Amino acid sequence: MSSGGDQLRDSSSLIIAAPISKSKVKPGKANYRILLLKRSRNGTSASAHVFPGGNVDKADHDPRWATLLNYKPTSPNAPPLHNAICAIREAFEESGVLVTDPPTELSNDEIKIWRERVHKDGREFYNLCTSHNLKPAVDRLCHFSSWITPPVEAKRFRTQFYLTVLPWSRESFSDSRVFADGKETTRLDWFTPEEAIEAYRSSEIQTFLPPQFVTLSHLLPIKQHEDLLEIFKQREIVDTMPEFKLDSQDDEGIHLSGVLPGDEEHTTHVKEGHQHRIHITRTKKGMVLRKYVHGSTVVKARL
């Protein structure tokens, strides 16, 4: 697809939750961690911590996927199958986490080899699955949200975000199996939602973009991984494109509010008397998230 500012690139991202072993869960804290990758300094989302994901590949449209999975859409509004395939493929390519049925028994070395092959040619993901009797676990994905890049950006995406909960604990796989690819990503972290937000406040995480911070804010009150899919599969999904308006400007930078669907000032999805927005500051060094407001809920980022 053209890279012109008016074109939306079709992309997907996977929010991966891994249970924490019961003996390691802290009282009152989440019993799962979320996988986050730090992007390289070059390209889209430079240096930001993101969920694994990327652009839809031609191979994700392969009609053989539907046959292999005996796929039937769960609802008329569900994204196309290729978006789910893309999310699972990109997660494997970028992190080594393979979301399949049955769970893979491939060795660490085999995982590394297949990651390289899939990175070079998206068609290799189908070959990986069929040669090892694996099926992408699309039925264990929950469509979480849909974000559209605002028109002010040169490269724009419509990204389908999915949530999945792994059937095994974070402690069950080693860093030699699951790691950043060293090309598109330079670091891999596992955080509870609370830990991730605290890491951003303390600047351990340098950059968050609105979709990631808003997602973590929605996950923040959910402490049990067993509840995640049940809670979020019931949500109505609407395209979310921040509508930025100027709040003020000073020596720190330009202070903006990104109005989101369900805000009293949103152009199409209006809810009277309700605020749903993310506050940011644009500085010479980039974008700083200040806080996310959703009704009476306020999640502070950096002050």
Side-chain angles (χ1 to χ4, degrees):
M1 183 176 289
S2 169
S3 61
D6 293 329
Q7 297 289 338
L8 294 177
R9 300 184 181 189
D10 194 9
S11 63
S12 299
S13 186
L14 188 57
I15 308 157
I16 300 174
I20 301 172
S21 297
K22 290 183 179 181
S23 62
K24 296 185 178 181
V25 177
K26 298 178 181 178
K29 304 296 184 180
N31 70 351
Y32 61 93
R33 287 194 168 92
I34 301 295
L35 188 154
L36 287 166
L37 293 164
K38 184 178 180 180
R39 291 288 182 201
S40 67
R41 293 183 179 181
N42 301 315
T44 304
S45 307
S47 299
H49 269 71
V50 299
F51 310 117
N55 292 335
V56 171
D57 190 282
K58 288 183 179 180
D60 301 325
H61 289 272
D62 191 328
R64 293 179 297 174
W65 284 120
T67 303
L68 178 68
L69 299 172
N70 192 25
Y71 178 75
K72 296 179 181 179
T74 55
S75 75
N77 297 321
L81 175 60
H82 68 253
N83 283 110
I85 297 296
C86 173
I88 294 173
R89 175 186 56 76
E90 285 282 350
F92 173 66
E93 180 182 326
E94 293 187 339
S95 72
V97 174
L98 187 54
V99 182
T100 59
D101 285 324
T104 178
E105 295 182 358
L106 293 174
S107 69
N108 291 356
D109 288 340
E110 288 175 309
I111 289 288
K112 185 176 181 180
I113 291 170
W114 276 107
R115 284 179 69 179
E116 287 288 340
R117 292 175 66 173
V118 173
H119 177 76
K120 293 177 181 178
D121 186 347
R123 292 173 295 184
E124 289 294 331
F125 189 55
Y126 183 85
N127 295 335
L128 163 63
C129 290
T130 54
S131 63
H132 290 85
N133 296 315
L134 303 172
K135 295 181 180 181
V138 297
D139 58 335
R140 289 198 277 114
L141 268 56
C142 167
H143 188 208
F144 191 90
S145 60
S146 176
W147 283 76
I148 296 177
T149 312
V152 294
E153 301 294 340
K155 293 182 180 180
R156 301 186 63 206
F157 304 86
R158 174 181 274 112
T159 305
Q160 305 301 332
F161 286 81
Y162 295 87
L163 171 66
T164 191
V165 179
L166 298 180
W168 57 86
S169 71
R170 159 67 187 94
E171 294 78 18
S172 65
F173 44 79
S174 67
D175 293 339
S176 60
R177 183 180 187 86
V178 175
F179 54 89
D181 61 20
K183 299 170 184 174
E184 296 179 6
T185 60
T186 60
R187 172 177 162 182
L188 184 150
D189 292 299
W190 293 95
F191 290 111
T192 67
E194 183 178 4
E195 289 170 345
I197 291 173
E198 287 297 334
Y200 182 69
R201 289 171 180 161
S202 68
S203 297
E204 178 185 351
I205 290 178
Q206 297 176 358
T207 305
F208 261 148
L209 300 176
Q212 283 71 35
F213 191 81
V214 170
T215 295
L216 291 165
S217 298
H218 281 270
L219 295 174
L220 194 58
I222 315 302
K223 304 302 183 184
Q224 305 297 316
H225 69 78
E226 297 89 346
D227 298 332
L228 287 172
L229 297 182
E230 187 63 29
I231 289 173
F232 290 109
K233 74 179 184 181
Q234 301 175 20
R235 297 200 309 170
E236 178 186 3
I237 306 298
V238 298
D239 284 336
T240 300
M241 184 182 72
E243 299 174 355
F244 286 107
K245 67 184 191 71
L246 177 66
D247 290 333
S248 63
Q249 185 172 355
D250 55 27
D251 292 341
E252 290 186 359
I254 302 172
H255 306 290
L256 303 165
S257 291
V259 177
L260 304 174
D263 189 280
E264 59 189 357
E265 296 184 14
H266 196 269
T267 55
T268 55
H269 294 85
V270 180
K271 185 176 181 180
E272 295 295 337
H274 185 83
Q275 283 202 343
H276 185 210
R277 57 186 63 184
I278 189 160
H279 295 265
I280 72 168
T281 298
R282 288 196 176 274
T283 70
K284 293 180 180 178
K285 294 182 178 180
M287 179 176 64
V288 177
L289 303 183
R290 297 298 187 184
K291 62 182 177 179
Y292 169 61
V293 179
H294 193 187
S296 60
T297 299
V298 178
V299 181
K300 295 181 179 179
R302 287 186 186 157
L303 302 178

